[in-house]
């Protein structure tokens, strides 16, 4: 039996916990995890406004995925949410990690937003 996927909110700096995801995503030519870290570090997006959250997925106490929910930065309405920075480590894809992250994001979005953009 494979280990259970555990999705949690991350309320502290994501820099250190996300290093493996950051390294892998950048090696693949993707900048989404780098943007997440840079926006957090720069204070642009901290996922701390009403309705917002940053989720990590763990398998056997190891972070293998990340996904954020924020107020849509491209809209003028605070009740419009946006899915941000979904990334799952390559070796853990097709195990349901992305699905579990999105289920948590959708549940949180129902509590805080009228519309959700991807």
């Amino acid at each position: 039996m494979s280990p259970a996927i555990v999705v949690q909110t991350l309320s502290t700096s994501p820099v250190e916990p996300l290093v493996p995801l950051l390294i892998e995503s950048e090696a693949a030519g993707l900048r989404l995890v780098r943007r997440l870290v840079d926006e957090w570090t720069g204070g642009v997006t901290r996922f701390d406004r009403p309705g917002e959250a940053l989720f990590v997925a763990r398998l056997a106490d190891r972070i293998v995925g990340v996904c954020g929910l924020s107020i849509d930065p491209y809209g003028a309405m605070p009740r419009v949410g946006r899915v941000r920075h979904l990334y799952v480590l390559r070796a853990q894809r097709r195990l349901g990690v992305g699905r579990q992250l999105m289920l948590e994001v959708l549940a949180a979005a129902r509590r805080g937003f009228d519309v959700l953009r991807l």
Side-chain angles (χ1 to χ4, degrees):
M1 182 173 184
S2 60
I5 300 162
V6 176
V7 177
Q8 304 169 311
T9 57
L10 188 64
S11 58
T12 60
S13 171
V15 178
E16 187 177 327
L18 297 183
V19 167
L21 283 76
L22 180 63
I23 291 169
E24 183 182 284
S25 64
E26 287 187 330
L30 302 172
R31 296 216 11 98
L32 66 154
V33 179
R34 167 60 61 197
R35 263 192 313 276
L36 177 132
V37 168
D38 289 349
E39 288 177 3
W40 181 288
T41 304
V44 175
T45 305
R46 291 283 175 94
F47 302 97
D48 58 357
R49 295 181 293 175
E52 294 185 334
L54 180 61
F55 297 96
V56 292
R58 295 178 185 271
L59 275 171
D61 288 334
R62 180 174 169 232
I63 293 177
V64 298
V66 65
C67 190
L69 172 63
S70 70
I71 295 172
D72 189 348
Y74 306 107
M77 299 171 51
R79 301 243 350 133
V80 176
R82 186 173 190 89
V83 176
R84 309 288 304 275
H85 313 293
L86 174 61
Y87 188 80
V88 175
L89 289 174
R90 181 171 288 129
Q92 280 70 43
R93 293 179 187 166
R94 300 200 176 272
L95 299 176
V97 175
R99 176 186 301 268
Q100 287 303 118
L101 283 164
M102 283 305 303
L103 288 172
E104 289 294 326
V105 166
L106 290 170
R110 283 185 193 97
R111 294 187 296 270
F113 298 104
D114 298 325
V115 175
L116 182 63
R117 293 187 176 149
L118 304 176

